[in-house]
């Protein structure tokens, strides 16, 4: 959904509720858990958040609260959405003088204890999204070296006509999101 003005909260709620019958807009559902399918742009981003169990706990809590979306030019609706398979959310992006509202659904959750502690999820694009693909957000703690990392893996390709026409701008926004998301997670774990 593209607009020159920001949608109201009611419009966003209606947009999300309409997604319940929508299917995912790509065939490679869950591919970010193993090997990414061919034919997509692949983006891998990783940043060390710190060390120790305290950092790990703050990082996992930040994922649960969707803090990786804490950027002034976008917002996630709603940050109270549970991290569970089937949850639908909308990402509202302000860019280049207009707004886009994009629908996503959580396709799997990561919650591992051994040998590394890993927590996070992946969501996939629905029909009401400018792109087609999947994005995984995870944090991990390796007790052997005590390091805590935030990791983003995304694969996508333009789906909407405006995303295809503005392909270089779409790629710019994806890279900007990854950098902003890493910075938001660093800030989230260091603010206590």
């Amino acid at each position: 959904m593209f607009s020159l003005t920001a949608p109201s909260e009611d419009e966003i709620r209606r947009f999300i509720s309409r997604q319940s019958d929508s299917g995912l807009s790509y065939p490679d559902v869950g591919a970010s858990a193993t090997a990414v399918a061919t034919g997509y742009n692949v983006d891998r981003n990783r940043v060390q958040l710190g060390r120790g169990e305290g950092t790990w706990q703050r990082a996992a809590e930040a994922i649960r609260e969707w803090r990786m979306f804490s950027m002034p030019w976008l917002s996630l609706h709603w940050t109270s959405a549970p991290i569970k398979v089937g949850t639908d959310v909308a990402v509202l992006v302000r860019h280049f003088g207009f707004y886009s509202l994009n629908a996503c659904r959580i396709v799997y959750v990561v919650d591992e204890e051994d040998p590394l502690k890993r927590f996070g999820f992946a969501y996939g694009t629905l029909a009401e999204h400018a792109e087609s693909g999947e994005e995984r957000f995870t944090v991990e703690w390796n007790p052997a070296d005590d390091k805590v990392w935030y990791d983003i893996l995304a694969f996508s390709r333009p789906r909407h006509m405006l995303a295809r026409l503005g392909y270089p701008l779409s790629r710019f926004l994806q890279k900007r999101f990854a950098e902003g998301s890493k910075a938001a997670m660093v800030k989230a774990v260091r603010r206590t």
Side-chain angles (χ1 to χ4, degrees):
M1 178 177 132
F2 292 91
S3 172
L4 293 175
T5 59
S8 69
E9 287 193 9
D10 285 341
E11 288 171 319
I12 294 170
R13 279 186 176 75
R14 286 193 298 274
F15 175 82
I16 293 172
S17 71
R18 287 194 309 266
Q19 305 312 310
S20 62
D21 293 329
S22 178
L24 294 158
S25 64
Y26 61 105
D28 306 295
V29 177
S32 64
T34 55
V36 176
T38 59
Y40 294 93
N41 296 308
V42 178
D43 296 304
R44 291 180 170 91
N45 288 275
R46 188 170 167 89
V47 66
Q48 185 176 345
L49 299 176
R51 294 177 172 270
E53 187 172 3
T55 300
W56 157 252
Q57 290 173 351
R58 288 190 301 278
E61 188 62 27
I63 293 284
R64 285 184 193 92
E65 295 175 356
W66 301 81
R67 295 233 192 113
M68 62 281 210
F69 285 86
S70 295
M71 289 171 252
W73 57 281
L74 66 80
S75 56
L76 182 109
H77 298 274
W78 306 103
T79 56
S80 59
I83 304 298
K84 67 178 189 175
V85 173
T87 295
D88 292 340
V89 295
V91 180
L92 179 63
V93 184
R94 284 189 318 271
H95 45 71
F96 311 115
F98 65 95
Y99 293 82
S100 64
L101 191 59
N102 299 281
C104 301
R105 177 174 295 140
I106 294 179
V107 295
Y108 67 85
V109 174
V110 177
D111 194 0
E112 301 169 357
E113 293 287 324
D114 193 38
L116 305 174
K117 287 192 173 196
R118 292 180 70 225
F119 180 76
F121 65 93
Y123 67 24
T125 58
L126 297 171
E128 291 286 333
H129 198 294
E131 297 282 328
S132 178
E134 196 168 282
E135 194 158 21
R136 183 189 72 209
F137 306 93
T138 53
V139 290
E140 68 179 50
W141 173 40
N142 183 349
D145 66 10
D146 210 29
K147 293 179 181 176
V148 178
W149 295 88
Y150 172 54
D151 188 79
I152 309 168
L153 171 64
F155 64 87
S156 66
R157 57 186 168 218
R159 184 171 175 282
H160 190 277
M161 180 186 66
L162 288 177
R164 287 192 301 269
L165 290 173
Y167 178 75
L169 297 175
S170 294
R171 292 297 291 152
F172 167 77
L173 288 172
Q174 289 171 331
K175 291 177 187 328
R176 183 179 181 202
F177 171 78
E179 291 305 311
S181 185
K182 290 187 300 185
M185 284 296 288
V186 167
K187 183 178 178 182
V189 299
R190 293 192 177 154
R191 65 184 191 115
T192 55

